[in-house]
Amino acid sequence: MPEKKGCLGCSFPIVIGVFIVLLVLLVVGFVIGPLGQSMLGIELPSWLSALSVDRPDPHLPAATVFHIFGFPITNSIIGAWITIIFLVGFSYVVTRRMKLIPGRLQAAFEFLIGWLYDLCCSVAGEANGRRFFPVVATIFLFVAFNAWLALLPGFGSIIAHTADGETELIRAANTDINMPLALALVSFIFVEFFGLRTLGVRYLGKFLNFGEFFRGARQLFTGKLKSGLSRLFTGAMTIFTGLLEGLSEFIRIVSLTFRLFGNMTAGEILLLVAAFLIPWLFAIPFYGLELLIGFIQAIIFGGLTLIFLTLAVESHGEEAP
Amino acid sequence: MGGLESLGINMPTLLAQVINVAILFGLLYLVAYRPIMRMLDERSRKIKESMENTELIKQHAERAEGEAAKRIEAAGKEGEEVVARAMRTGEEVKKEAQQQSKQEAETLIARAQAEIRRERDEAIGELRKEFADLTVTAAGKVIDRTLDKKAHRQIIDKVLEEASTLKKG
């Protein structure tokens, strides 16, 4: 085999040529961008200044693109639909003809699903892991692929003309707070559902724990003043911690929602600002960062849901009366 | 609600997204989780089965090997026995043949000895008769008269008989 010369599989002249082109793009981007303009103040020909990126105008509420039977369809809903179509379509293509000895695509998809399944089993145990796995996997896949698909051209760059004026046709669903909130609600519903289904009424005892308090009161009436008072005190504490426990269930919704929403929105704004300040090449590293952040947020959302689910089905042995 | 509005929370969109997540959950369950879990389970079952089969085949092979070794050992023993028996038989045959030939030789010798004795006796008888005749003739010549041949003969025979008994005695 002849020894390969060059770098990255290309000969040196090509590598150097590509490098020069990239450098030129970076420099020209810097010069025509607002950062370079304010620092250098060079007069640009009109055709070149037309290439600069418009000032980003991020707004938190998602814009309504059209209505179906009076129901407003926002651009983030369209983004969610695209993610759903992609995920379901991809899964369908892969699993349509499953083979016992998998091809490459099937092996890759099976690896992803198997990895999520193993994660669920390692946290929640074999039996519970199998029950929780679809919930956790759906949340993970949606958050991750929604974040990654939003990096493709078309998201945020196709302008639709609506009755309310110009707006983006597609927007990453996670940057509209309704989507993280919807995911958090779904997570909350499944947590309560599995908790109630596994432990029954005992699950509610975690939040409404009056037993100790009433036992203390009974002892007080039967004359055991000292132990009755101490039980009354610990009983009041248990009621309070139970209420706190209940409150934390709802705080989880808020924290899950705003963690995802904040990270995704900040990521989008970061990309817009990077592309605005120095157009073209400068934003590429941030795209890599956003790929990573999408994955991390997905694993955090899915993992926290998994942990909440596991905690919900764990039975806290009732203290001895 | 002004703060929530400015964040973008609104009921219809929230509802739509919850429904979207539910739909995604259902569809992914149908086209991804169920078939893939089934496939993974099937595969692990197959692997388990083939591992068990391997174990079984190994045991079979071990047992067969042991049996073969046992059989080879038995065959070897049997072969040795056959060889020993053959050698014993050969020995016996040899001995028998030797004995038979010895016996035959002895018979032959005995027969030859008997023949020899008989021939000797015959020759002696012949000789005796010749001698008597010769003696009678000679004596007749000496006394020149013919002796009563018959009487003489009796006398000679008697003498010879005495002589042979003397000799023997």
Side-chain angles (χ1 to χ4, degrees):
Chain A
M1 207 172 140
E3 202 181 317
K4 271 190 181 169
K5 285 183 179 173
C7 181
L8 300 171
C10 300
S11 61
F12 277 119
I14 293 177
V15 172
I16 292 168
V18 169
F19 183 72
I20 289 172
V21 169
L22 291 180
L23 199 67
V24 168
L25 279 175
L26 192 64
V27 170
V28 172
F30 177 73
V31 170
I32 66 170
L35 200 64
Q37 281 289 300
S38 66
M39 283 166 76
L40 306 173
I42 301 170
E43 273 296 316
L44 289 175
S46 60
W47 62 270
L48 202 55
S49 57
L51 287 174
S52 66
V53 177
D54 293 336
R55 173 187 286 275
D57 178 26
H59 32 265
L60 297 182
T64 303
V65 181
F66 58 92
H67 289 79
I68 297 181
F69 306 121
F71 196 91
I73 301 299
T74 61
N75 46 15
S76 61
I77 293 181
I78 298 176
W81 284 348
I82 286 174
T83 312
I84 290 170
I85 290 167
F86 175 82
L87 275 174
V88 172
F90 181 73
S91 306
Y92 177 71
V93 168
V94 171
T95 59
R96 195 176 33 165
R97 279 192 295 268
M98 295 271 280
K99 292 190 200 90
L100 200 62
I101 297 162
R104 284 175 203 174
L105 198 64
Q106 189 191 331
F109 197 54
E110 272 180 15
F111 168 75
L112 177 64
I113 298 291
W115 172 69
L116 285 168
Y117 178 68
D118 288 345
L119 180 77
C120 292
C121 284
S122 68
V123 172
E126 188 73 36
N128 282 330
R130 213 179 169 93
R131 288 201 295 165
F132 300 160
F133 157 70
V135 182
V136 177
T138 305
I139 289 173
F140 174 86
L141 289 175
F142 184 83
V143 174
F145 279 87
N146 185 50
W148 291 339
L149 287 173
L151 299 176
L152 293 177
F155 275 78
S157 49
I158 300 175
I159 302 300
H161 297 275
T162 64
D164 306 332
E166 288 187 348
T167 177
E168 302 149 354
L169 181 63
I170 313 167
R171 174 171 164 180
N174 288 337
T175 62
D176 170 14
I177 195 163
N178 291 300
M179 189 74 232
L181 184 57
L183 283 171
L185 283 175
V186 168
S187 162
F188 170 79
I189 289 166
F190 272 110
V191 168
E192 306 309 315
F193 168 74
F194 276 118
L196 278 173
R197 195 169 150 195
T198 311
L199 300 180
V201 189
R202 271 194 304 145
Y203 177 69
L204 294 175
K206 203 158 81 173
F207 311 116
L208 307 167
N209 201 346
F210 299 110
E212 187 78 2
F213 187 79
F214 286 135
R215 275 193 289 275
R218 202 187 309 142
Q219 277 189 337
L220 212 60
F221 281 120
T222 51
K224 292 174 192 161
L225 209 62
K226 199 175 169 194
S227 71
L229 271 176
S230 114
R231 280 211 152 174
L232 214 59
F233 180 68
T234 50
M237 293 279 279
T238 11
I239 291 171
F240 181 65
T241 51
L243 290 178
L244 273 187
E245 191 90 31
L247 187 66
S248 81
E249 297 283 312
F250 292 96
I251 291 173
R252 279 174 192 172
I253 302 178
V254 179
S255 77
L256 280 175
T257 305
F258 280 95
R259 184 183 305 110
L260 182 60
F261 170 66
N263 272 290
M264 288 299 129
T265 309
E268 195 190 55
I269 293 171
L270 172 68
L271 287 181
L272 287 174
V273 169
F276 166 68
L277 287 179
I278 303 175
W280 308 343
L281 282 191
F282 182 64
I284 287 177
F286 297 104
Y287 273 87
L289 186 72
E290 282 312 302
L291 277 177
L292 182 68
I293 285 177
F295 175 76
I296 289 172
Q297 287 307 314
I299 206 80
I300 287 175
F301 209 115
L304 281 175
T305 303
L306 177 59
I307 290 166
F308 295 153
L309 283 164
T310 313
L311 288 177
V313 297
E314 246 172 32
S315 103
H316 296 275
E318 189 76 13
E319 281 165 48
Chain B
M1 289 301 278
L4 289 182
E5 291 274 311
S6 66
L7 267 177
I9 294 180
N10 69 45
M11 252 328 175
T13 312
L14 180 61
L15 195 67
Q17 299 291 39
V18 170
I19 292 168
N20 280 341
V21 174
I23 290 171
L24 178 70
F25 180 82
L27 287 177
L28 278 185
Y29 189 81
L30 284 180
V31 301
Y33 308 143
R34 209 169 53 172
I36 285 179
M37 290 315 292
R38 202 184 293 154
M39 185 53 66
L40 291 179
D41 287 349
E42 168 88 3
R43 196 172 299 142
S44 60
R45 192 179 60 76
K46 274 261 163 75
I47 289 170
K48 204 173 149 201
E49 230 169 57
S50 57
M51 295 275 270
E52 280 170 359
N53 269 354
T54 314
E55 197 59 35
L56 216 66
I57 288 167
K58 214 166 125 190
Q59 279 176 5
H60 265 285
E62 265 168 23
R63 211 180 307 150
E65 210 173 298
E67 220 156 273
K70 227 184 274 171
R71 254 185 225 177
I72 288 170
E73 206 186 309
K77 236 181 243 176
E78 210 171 300
E80 267 170 31
E81 230 165 75
V82 167
V83 168
R85 210 187 305 150
M87 275 169 79
R88 227 170 22 235
T89 316
E91 205 73 25
E92 269 168 30
V93 167
K94 203 169 118 190
K95 218 184 267 175
E96 215 169 286
Q98 268 177 352
Q99 221 162 8
Q100 210 172 338
S101 58
K102 203 174 156 195
Q103 228 166 11
E104 252 170 50
E106 271 169 9
T107 327
L108 269 178
I109 289 167
R111 207 187 297 156
Q113 276 175 344
E115 189 85 1
I116 289 164
R117 207 175 296 131
R118 192 181 55 78
E119 269 179 21
R120 195 193 64 184
D121 288 353
E122 240 171 54
I124 289 171
E126 201 93 2
L127 203 60
R128 194 183 283 169
K129 209 166 96 191
E130 286 284 321
F131 185 68
D133 283 345
L134 211 57
T135 313
V136 170
T137 316
K141 285 246 170 93
V142 169
I143 56 178
D144 205 14
R145 69 173 179 146
T146 311
L147 289 169
D148 180 4
K149 215 176 183 182
K150 204 172 178 186
H152 266 94
R153 192 160 190 115
Q154 273 172 353
I155 296 166
I156 292 163
D157 272 343
K158 201 176 167 196
V159 172
L160 276 174
E161 197 72 36
E162 276 168 11
S164 72
T165 42
L166 272 176
K167 215 176 178 184
K168 274 178 191 169

